[in-house]
Amino acid sequence: MFNTSSKTYYYKYDLKTNTYKTIYYKGNNGYYSDGIVAKDGSGLYYTDRVNGNYNLYKIKTNGKP
């Protein structure tokens, strides 16, 4: 995960080739969290605060919603 003042980027890192690929990014609204990869590698889970509530999201690691 990498944060700028306006976006949070989530990357997939390949240990064999030492390369990474952006799998998802989102605009920052003042809150962001580290992601956790699903045990089977199928997705990335993260939380985000919206309207005072924290929500849990899953992003597929192929970059699609």
Side-chain angles (χ1 to χ4, degrees):
M1 183 186 86
F2 176 75
N3 295 306
T4 67
S5 61
S6 62
K7 289 185 181 174
T8 298
Y9 297 87
Y10 296 93
Y11 299 101
K12 184 177 183 179
Y13 188 77
D14 187 324
L15 293 172
K16 292 179 183 176
T17 63
N18 293 323
T19 60
Y20 62 90
K21 177 183 175 186
T22 302
I23 57 172
Y24 182 68
Y25 69 90
K26 65 184 184 78
N28 289 338
N29 60 358
Y31 303 96
Y32 51 84
S33 70
D34 292 340
I36 297 175
V37 176
K39 201 173 205 179
D40 64 0
S42 65
L44 170 78
Y45 292 92
Y46 72 92
T47 59
D48 201 357
R49 187 173 173 187
V50 178
N51 297 325
N53 297 308
Y54 282 95
N55 298 304
L56 178 65
Y57 298 94
K58 179 181 179 185
I59 301 300
K60 293 180 182 178
T61 53
N62 64 7
K64 295 181 181 177

